[in-house]
Amino acid sequence: MMAEQINCGCDFNEALIKNVKINLSAVTRRAAEIASRRAVKKQWQAAWELRAISCIDLTTLAGDDTPSNVSRLCFKAACPLSKELMNLLKWQKEKVLTTAAVCVYPNQVKAAREALAKAGHLEIPIASVATGFPCGQTPLSSRLAEIRAAVEDGASEIDIVINRTYALTGNWKGVYDEVKLMKEACGKAHMKTILATGELGSLSNIYKASMVCMMAGADFIKTSTGKEGVNATFVVALVMIRAIRDFNNITKQKIGFKPAGGIRTAKDACVWLSMMKEELGEEYTSNKFFRFGASALLADIERQLYHFATGCYPALIDMPMG
């Protein structure tokens, strides 16, 4: 389920981020067009919702996380829809439906691995946030050690945060050097680089951060930690997606994209998937190159699929605990 390709990165090239200009009115207009579009209906809507489930990094990043609620998350990732609903949808039993990954704090990686083993789904990747998430305001040595510890415990994907101090002061070579070291610390694990776009100050900085992180070896670029005041928006996404396209044109390497924070409804998920298809192509509607960072999204998708299958919305008793 993980992306097969690893971004080899490239040498730092300041020319790629020099004189960056963003046409704000054009980006805003395109974002408004995407946000206002009508969702698909009936079986087409259900198909997109099922696709969305397979792209979710099912997440718990709370201060009161325990092995028990991490285990619950993992079993939900392994079986995101109830058997009754799967039967109503006439799902083919030989086809396995799981979320793309589970995402936890580093000290819960072992618990996640044990739970996935019990669920019989060790193939589901364990993603771990690291590097002083969400702020990244810890010494570099500590951030690198945190990555190595998470990988050693069984994480196959690492969501790192960039140094916003460097980004906001224009030290892009510093951002590149740190992210490159983090990539090396990940070893064979895939690295998703969180830009924390709500704290970068401008769309130009978001484009530069996207490009620098891809140069340093990021396999995915991710909008947000989910802890900022402003998280995933279509305006920000379009800037990051165009950076992905530009990087691909230059290096021929395909980089994934992960919006996170504030994506809670099935309708939102369908709109995000349609945008990815239009901007980057069909390949970017699969979990190989696209992920949602979400915890509440799955519950609404399940609710909408129940309505599609039965014609009415479920009572609480009809919905398994998420």
Side-chain angles (χ1 to χ4, degrees):
M1 194 172 290
M2 292 192 319
E4 296 173 0
Q5 294 179 322
I6 293 283
N7 177 16
C8 299
C10 62
D11 292 336
F12 180 74
N13 184 353
E14 191 174 8
L16 299 183
I17 57 171
K18 198 172 184 179
N19 301 321
V20 171
K21 295 180 180 179
I22 306 293
N23 187 331
L24 180 59
S25 61
V27 173
T28 303
R29 185 168 59 250
R30 172 66 173 147
E33 175 191 323
I34 292 167
S36 63
R37 66 180 44 170
R38 293 175 62 86
V40 291
K41 299 296 182 183
K42 299 182 179 180
Q43 67 266 35
W44 297 281
Q45 179 180 344
W48 278 112
E49 288 167 352
L50 289 165
R51 174 75 64 91
I53 290 174
S54 71
C55 293
I56 294 175
D57 282 0
L58 198 60
T59 303
T60 181
L61 296 172
D64 58 355
D65 280 343
T66 63
S68 61
N69 70 305
V70 168
S71 177
R72 181 178 173 180
L73 182 88
C74 291
F75 274 84
K76 186 64 175 176
C79 187
L81 301 179
S82 69
K83 291 181 180 178
E84 292 76 14
L85 180 52
M86 297 287 271
N87 289 335
L88 287 170
L89 293 169
K90 299 179 180 179
W91 185 263
Q92 299 175 28
K93 292 184 179 180
E94 64 273 14
K95 294 177 66 178
V96 177
L97 177 67
T98 70
T99 65
V102 294
C103 185
V104 297
Y105 277 117
N107 65 332
Q108 297 295 344
V109 170
K110 283 184 178 179
R113 185 168 179 79
E114 290 171 2
L116 289 173
K118 290 178 182 177
H121 282 278
L122 271 174
E123 81 283 358
I124 297 176
I126 299 171
S128 176
V129 295
T131 64
F133 178 93
C135 299
Q137 295 282 6
T138 55
L140 179 60
S141 58
S142 299
R143 286 178 275 153
L144 297 176
E146 193 174 30
I147 293 172
R148 296 188 189 103
V151 172
E152 185 176 341
D153 284 347
S156 52
E157 302 181 358
I158 300 293
D159 288 28
I160 64 109
V161 291
I162 67 167
N163 188 324
R164 272 87 93 194
T165 300
Y166 282 174
L168 290 169
T169 56
N171 184 3
W172 296 109
K173 183 60 165 59
V175 174
Y176 173 89
D177 289 341
E178 284 198 353
V179 174
K180 191 172 179 63
L181 288 171
M182 292 172 187
K183 175 73 171 183
E184 292 171 1
C186 286
K188 293 183 179 179
H190 287 210
M191 185 175 73
K192 305 191 201 88
T193 306
I194 307 170
L195 306 187
T197 55
E199 296 177 350
L200 289 184
S202 70
L203 294 180
S204 294
N205 277 348
I206 291 168
Y207 181 93
K208 291 175 182 178
S210 300
M211 191 63 74
V212 167
C213 289
M214 290 186 287
M215 282 191 274
D219 299 299
F220 271 70
I221 51 175
K222 177 178 171 182
T223 59
S224 323
T225 65
K227 310 293 186 181
E228 296 95 69
V230 178
N231 294 294
T233 68
F234 292 124
V235 169
V236 162
L238 286 168
V239 172
M240 294 174 68
I241 286 169
R242 300 297 169 85
I244 288 172
R245 185 187 299 171
D246 290 345
F247 188 77
N248 177 250
N249 289 337
I250 295 165
T251 68
K252 307 306 177 187
Q253 297 194 86
K254 293 183 177 179
I255 309 302
F257 176 66
K258 180 178 174 180
I263 303 171
R264 296 185 176 89
T265 69
K267 179 182 177 182
D268 288 343
C270 291
V271 173
W272 278 95
L273 284 167
S274 69
M275 178 183 68
M276 296 305 295
K277 182 176 180 179
E278 290 177 7
E279 291 288 329
L280 292 173
E282 179 76 25
E283 194 172 14
Y284 278 83
T285 65
S286 76
N287 58 35
K288 183 177 180 181
F289 292 114
F290 180 70
R291 303 286 183 85
F292 294 106
S295 55
L297 174 60
L298 180 55
D300 190 63
I301 292 178
E302 192 169 9
R303 183 170 175 268
Q304 298 302 327
L305 286 170
Y306 187 97
H307 181 270
F308 167 74
T310 67
C312 60
Y313 285 105
L316 287 178
I317 195 172
D318 297 315
M319 294 285 287
M321 296 179 72

